[in-house]
Amino acid sequence: MPGKMAMIFGASNILWIVFAASQAFKIETSPESRTLVQIGDSVSLMCSTTGCEAPSFSWRTQIDSPLNAKVRNEGTKSTLTMDPVSFENEHSYLCTATCGSKKEEKEIKVDVYSFPKDPEIQLSVKCVVPDVYPFDRLEVELLKGDSRMKHQEFLEDMERKSLETKSLEVAFTPTLEDTGKALVCRAQLHMFETDSEEASPKERETYRELQVYILPKNTAIHVHPSTSLQEGDSVTMTCSSEGLPAPEIFWNKKLDNGDLQLLSGNATLTLIAMKVEDSGIYVCQGVNVIGANGKEIELIVKEKPFTVDISPGHQVATQIGDSVVLRCSVTGCETPSFSWRTQRDSPLNGIVSSDRTESTVTLTSVSLENEDHYLCTVTCGRRKMEKEVQMKVYSFPQDPEIEMSGLLVSGTPVTISCKVPLVYPSGHLEIEIHKGETLMVNKHFLEEMNIKSLENKSLEVTFTPTSEDTGKVLVCQAKLHIGEVESEPKQRQSTQTLYVNVAPTDTTVSVNPSAVLEEGSSVNMTCTTRGLPSPKILWSRQLSNGDLQPLSENTTLTLISTKMEDSGIYVCEGINEAGRSRKEVELIIQVAPKDIQLTAFPSESVKEGDMVIISCTCGNVPETWIILKKKTEMGDTVLKSIDGAYTIHKVQLEDAGVYECESKNKVGSELRSLTLDVKGRENNKDYFSPELLVLYCISFLIIPAIGMIIYFARKANMKGSYSLVDAQKSKV
Ligand SMILES: *[C@@H]1O[C@H](CO)[C@@H](O)[C@H](O)[C@H]1NC(C)=O
Ligand SMILES: *[C@@H]1O[C@H](CO)[C@@H](O)[C@H](O)[C@H]1NC(C)=O
Ligand SMILES: *[C@@H]1O[C@H](CO)[C@@H](O)[C@H](O)[C@H]1NC(C)=O
Ligand SMILES: *[C@@H]1O[C@H](CO)[C@@H](O)[C@H](O)[C@H]1NC(C)=O
């Protein structure tokens, strides 16, 4: 069912549209049917159509007179314009629109009228000639000065005999120029005397001198400087009025009851040193013989504004200990009186001094107690005014202090602290630490502000300097934001140029000519090291207990003509603030063997079969080889000795002879010899078996220098001998 309904509605819609299209061609006009226009104005009639693409229009009047108008066609519109409108336009206009075969027509009626001006009052002059006969001979003229205003001859039919009164009237508007001129009415009756040939008319004339008066008018007031004034001001009012004769000017003041009080008969009224009571309505009157014209003006005199200024401003920030002067000054009051108080009604703590228009409070040394509002009350007569200044107290007496937890050493963290001492209000403090261009840390100390005291605030930052930081500037900047008083915060800063120390390093020692020397020669030991600042050199000798004995602060330690005792460990230290670095060198001074002793025990002279010990002892010289030999005809026999001692348990005759001990090191050698004498016994021969032995000098076996042992071992090997040095070497 709903589907069917929809179909029905659809069909009826289509039908309606078709119907509407066929009925669409219509004509409309504006104005609709009638318009009223004043002659001289302009009017447009408009005709428009709907339902036609391109209609054609035509205009005509109902009685087919000329249109007296301009036609303009524009699409579906046609306009008929009458400009200006005249009597010829008082018609019914018909607009005809044609669209194909269809035609529509509509009519607009244009009614015209004329009523352009206000009415005028006109005066006239009338010249009356009474009781004239024969009045057809009468000629009357009206003259103003020399010019004729009007003239008339009464050439009328004389139907009856009667005396008649004739008159001549002319409209007359007097002007100022007419004053003094004569107004003449001249009447002539053209009658002829009996015995005279010429016409000699009878003539009468009346003469009046014109006096033109003008009522005072256009009374105007000019006020300088203004109608709105202040106490003490002056005002000049000038009044003018037009009229004839020229009006006299009177200045009055309107009293409260409406009466006028005469002030001056002068056009210019000047009032000086005005008071509030001078306010009111002033009336200027222009007066002449025929009347008066007045004009009112109201003057308003206000009390001089009374102002109180407080300086340095509505807020002032003062540093603790400084002095400040609060100044309250008055303008617009002759005899003000001043009083000062604080908002919390605490004592002023200041010196008050007042003169006529100014009062000051001087606070010589501002303290935290002065943080208050100071109010200045000024009384001027009945009026009272109060101004306040808010005293902000601050303390920011010193530049920040930069402190470092220690020396700046490359690679070692250091804590920098920036301390701002004795600051108030600390809650408004901001500290920043910059390194070069970089902000390292900043902090706003936005804390509770209940405590009124000076505080030390500090900001810390830890960083690890590198040598690139040297030369950079460390800046500690403290800003104290003191309210709105100053848009810029108070600012203090301290700077410190960074110098980063580098601990001594790469300490090296060069020994010239060598660390192993012969006694008596000289040696230069040169130490170099690096660091920042340049390290100091300290040469010391290491004592047997490990202590260092300082020797020199020169780079090069020179030992001239060395002795054996100069052997030992020398230490060079590079020292600066950042640390120390050491390098050791062992100096070995070699000495040629000396003071060796060769002895025979118990004696150099023994009996066959006795025991004899031949012993060779070396002197106090290290690194010495000892060789014990027996000289024979066949050559030298090296004896096998123990600790330099060669024991013959049972001495034989053959053992007698020359024994030699050679002490030798790489520096030199020393020889000692003795002759053993053996006395014979019977059957007491022992066998002789000399053995080869190289003895190392016992007394210096304890020398620990490995280098030396190697050296000697090498030396021994080269000689193809074995020694206990080898044992020493293998032990190492
Ligand atoms: C008017 O005022 C002017 C100047 O103020 C003065 O010269 C003149 O005499 C005054 N006239 C009268 C009538 O007061
Ligand atoms: C603040 O530092 C100053 C020195 O700069 C010192 O005399 C004072 O005692 C310190 N005050 C406080 C509260 O630490
Ligand atoms: C040590 O140095 C000095 C000065 O430079 C020089 O005169 C001397 O010959 C040097 N001695 C040795 C052993 O090199
Ligand atoms: C250090 O050197 C200077 C000159 O070069 C010399 O006069 C001085 O004696 C030296 N000091 C030592 C302790 O060697």
Side-chain angles (χ1 to χ4, degrees):
M1 275 299 274
K4 202 173 179 187
M5 287 278 284
M7 261 178 66
I8 292 161
F9 280 132
S12 71
N13 271 352
I14 290 160
L15 283 174
W16 185 84
I17 289 161
V18 171
F19 176 76
S22 69
Q23 288 292 316
F25 183 59
K26 267 192 183 167
I27 186 163
E28 268 172 24
T29 59
S30 159
E32 208 174 330
S33 61
R34 210 181 174 112
T35 185
L36 180 66
V37 202
Q38 173 148 271
I39 289 170
D41 289 356
S42 76
V43 70
S44 289
L45 309 181
M46 207 183 71
C47 184
S48 64
T49 63
T50 50
C52 184
E53 283 272 304
S56 64
F57 293 96
S58 74
W59 290 89
R60 63 187 171 87
T61 64
Q62 217 150 32
I63 52 163
D64 264 341
S65 57
L67 284 175
N68 289 313
K70 285 192 190 104
V71 178
R72 222 181 117 202
N73 292 329
E74 213 173 341
T76 61
K77 245 191 244 174
S78 180
T79 315
L80 185 71
T81 305
M82 295 155 226
D83 187 19
V85 171
S86 67
F87 288 120
E88 282 72 37
N89 295 115
E90 194 165 32
H91 293 299
S92 276
Y93 286 88
L94 278 132
C95 172
T96 311
T98 318
C99 184
S101 58
K102 288 180 220 95
K103 199 173 194 178
E104 291 284 331
E105 203 166 57
K106 201 128 191 251
E107 177 189 319
I108 308 164
K109 181 151 196 331
V110 176
D111 297 317
V112 303
Y113 73 96
S114 179
F115 193 35
K117 287 178 185 159
D118 294 335
E120 292 162 8
I121 295 170
Q122 282 195 347
L123 300 177
S124 63
V125 180
K126 194 174 180 183
C127 179
V128 180
V129 189
D131 304 334
V132 184
Y133 180 85
F135 49 82
D136 61 343
R137 301 278 180 100
L138 184 68
E139 183 185 353
V140 181
E141 65 176 341
L142 259 171
L143 297 120
K144 188 173 75 179
D146 296 331
S147 63
R148 177 187 272 177
M149 293 167 82
K150 197 168 180 185
H151 165 257
Q152 193 178 346
E153 285 178 37
F154 295 85
L155 303 169
E156 292 166 31
D157 270 354
M158 289 279 292
E159 284 174 356
R160 51 189 196 281
K161 283 194 179 180
S162 67
L163 304 183
E164 286 200 16
T165 296
K166 296 291 176 189
S167 64
L168 184 62
E169 192 171 4
V170 66
F172 175 64
T173 307
T175 65
L176 282 181
E177 290 79 50
D178 293 335
T179 295
K181 286 187 182 162
L183 194 67
V184 180
C185 179
R186 186 178 293 148
Q188 286 180 320
L189 194 65
H190 294 279
M191 302 298 289
F192 297 95
E193 296 284 341
T194 32
D195 45 351
S196 172
E197 295 294 310
E198 285 168 44
S200 69
K202 300 210 174 288
E203 186 178 307
R204 286 178 177 275
E205 74 174 27
T206 304
Y207 165 98
R208 282 281 168 77
E209 196 182 334
L210 281 172
Q211 180 62 55
V212 179
Y213 294 94
I214 298 174
L215 263 177
K217 63 174 180 182
N218 297 341
T219 304
I221 298 170
H222 174 77
V223 182
H224 179 82
S226 164
T227 57
S228 171
L229 301 149
Q230 282 182 8
E231 262 182 330
D233 283 356
S234 296
V235 69
T236 299
M237 297 189 284
T238 307
C239 182
S240 61
S241 184
E242 294 167 12
L244 202 72
E248 272 186 88
I249 303 289
F250 295 97
W251 273 105
N252 300 282
K253 188 173 181 208
K254 205 176 216 173
L255 303 177
D256 289 342
N257 59 12
D259 290 355
L260 294 181
Q261 177 198 5
L262 182 65
L263 297 177
S264 163
N266 203 329
T268 303
L269 176 68
T270 299
L271 303 172
I272 57 164
M274 296 186 79
K275 297 201 174 76
V276 175
E277 304 83 77
D278 292 328
S279 296
I281 294 169
Y282 288 78
V283 183
C284 163
Q285 283 183 310
V287 180
N288 69 10
V289 286
I290 54 163
N293 177 238
K295 177 90 181 173
E296 294 184 351
I297 196 156
E298 184 170 14
L299 293 186
I300 296 163
V301 183
K302 294 204 197 99
E303 273 183 330
K304 208 166 186 185
F306 138 66
T307 57
V308 176
D309 278 315
I310 201 151
S311 69
H314 78 284
Q315 261 192 6
V316 60
T318 311
Q319 173 141 251
I320 288 174
D322 286 358
S323 70
V324 67
V325 177
L326 308 180
R327 179 172 279 110
C328 183
S329 55
V330 171
T331 51
C333 184
E334 291 293 306
T335 50
S337 70
F338 297 91
S339 79
W340 288 91
R341 65 187 174 90
T342 67
Q343 201 171 49
R344 288 187 282 123
D345 263 336
S346 53
L348 282 178
N349 290 321
I351 303 151
V352 178
S353 139
S354 302
D355 67 10
R356 206 173 61 78
T357 58
E358 192 177 273
S359 177
T360 57
V361 174
T362 307
L363 306 170
T364 43
S365 177
V366 170
S367 69
L368 287 174
E369 285 74 53
N370 293 120
E371 195 163 60
D372 204 342
H373 290 256
Y374 282 75
L375 291 101
C376 166
T377 309
V378 181
T379 312
C380 180
R382 285 168 286 109
R383 290 177 289 171
K384 202 171 197 181
M385 202 178 279
E386 196 165 61
K387 278 279 167 87
E388 68 170 53
V389 59
Q390 185 186 4
M391 175 85 74
K392 290 243 176 180
V393 172
Y394 71 93
S395 171
F396 195 28
Q398 288 168 37
D399 286 337
E401 294 162 13
I402 297 176
E403 277 170 19
M404 307 226 182
S405 61
L407 199 66
L408 279 183
V409 177
S410 181
T412 308
V414 67
T415 299
I416 297 165
S417 91
C418 174
K419 177 177 151 194
V420 183
L422 306 169
V423 66
Y424 178 84
S426 57
H428 290 185
L429 182 70
E430 182 186 354
I431 306 181
E432 288 180 358
I433 301 179
H434 297 260
K435 185 180 77 180
E437 304 289 299
T438 332
L439 174 68
M440 297 176 88
V441 66
N442 75 329
K443 185 173 179 187
H444 290 261
F445 293 81
L446 303 168
E447 288 153 22
E448 285 288 314
M449 295 270 301
N450 296 338
I451 18 154
K452 274 205 167 191
S453 65
L454 310 187
E455 286 180 80
N456 297 337
K457 292 286 171 192
S458 65
L459 181 61
E460 290 191 351
V461 64
T462 300
F463 86 111
T464 304
T466 65
S467 41
E468 282 84 63
D469 290 326
T470 293
K472 286 191 183 162
V473 179
L474 191 76
V475 180
C476 174
Q477 195 176 65
K479 292 180 192 166
L480 189 65
H481 301 269
I482 313 159
E484 322 101 69
V485 188
E486 277 138 75
S487 50
E488 290 292 306
K490 301 265 176 213
Q491 199 164 317
R492 282 181 176 275
Q493 70 176 43
S494 297
T495 60
Q496 189 167 319
T497 304
L498 293 178
Y499 183 86
V500 180
N501 296 282
V502 178
T505 172
D506 296 340
T507 305
T508 56
V509 168
S510 70
V511 184
N512 196 15
S514 159
V516 180
L517 297 161
E518 285 176 29
E519 191 177 37
S521 57
S522 296
V523 67
N524 285 338
M525 291 184 282
T526 303
C527 183
T528 59
T529 185
R530 288 194 298 117
L532 267 176
S534 255
K536 181 182 92 170
I537 300 275
L538 177 62
W539 274 105
S540 312
R541 187 170 176 186
Q542 188 171 307
L543 302 179
S544 51
N545 61 6
D547 288 355
L548 294 179
Q549 175 198 9
L551 297 176
S552 166
E553 294 185 1
N554 289 349
T555 312
T556 301
L557 178 67
T558 302
L559 302 179
I560 300 160
S561 182
T562 50
K563 296 202 180 60
M564 201 177 73
E565 300 82 65
D566 293 329
S567 292
I569 293 171
Y570 290 81
V571 178
C572 168
E573 283 176 299
I575 302 167
N576 70 8
E577 289 85 338
R580 46 176 68 202
S581 153
R582 75 187 254 164
K583 182 77 185 176
E584 294 176 0
V585 65
E586 183 176 18
L587 199 62
I588 297 166
I589 312 296
Q590 293 178 330
V591 183
K594 57 181 176 185
D595 304 334
I596 60 166
Q597 285 183 347
L598 185 61
T599 54
F601 181 83
S603 160
E604 288 179 21
S605 180
V606 291
K607 283 188 187 137
E608 188 181 15
D610 284 355
M611 188 179 84
V612 68
I613 299 165
I614 297 167
S615 113
C616 181
T617 59
C618 53
N620 195 20
V621 176
E623 327 296 351
T624 306
W625 298 89
I626 288 173
I627 303 161
L628 197 58
K629 295 182 230 172
K630 172 126 195 285
K631 300 262 189 197
T632 63
E633 291 95 59
M634 289 102 75
D636 295 348
T637 307
V638 177
L639 302 176
K640 182 180 175 182
S641 63
I642 296 161
D643 294 348
Y646 178 68
T647 308
I648 307 167
H649 295 283
K650 286 187 178 144
V651 75
Q652 305 293 315
L653 289 176
E654 305 91 278
D655 291 329
V658 177
Y659 287 81
E660 197 180 65
C661 176
E662 188 183 4
S663 176
K664 202 178 187 180
N665 63 15
K666 74 184 253 274
V667 186
S669 67
E670 198 175 28
L671 279 179
R672 288 283 187 276
S673 59
L674 63 80
T675 308
L676 186 72
D677 179 26
V678 182
K679 297 209 166 66
R681 268 187 211 176
E682 286 135 63
N683 298 325
N684 210 8
K685 277 190 182 167
D686 209 342
Y687 102 106
F688 170 69
S689 59
E691 286 171 65
L692 285 166
L693 184 76
V694 174
L695 177 70
Y696 185 71
C697 188
I698 307 295
S699 56
F700 277 88
L701 276 178
I702 46 160
I703 286 179
I706 296 151
M708 291 298 118
I709 292 167
I710 293 167
Y711 172 78
F712 278 103
R714 205 179 283 147
K715 264 265 156 58
N717 285 342
M718 272 156 52
K719 284 191 171 170
S721 57
Y722 121 89
S723 82
L724 81 158
V725 170
D726 289 322
Q728 283 281 349
K729 185 177 155 194
S730 64
K731 246 189 268 172
V732 174

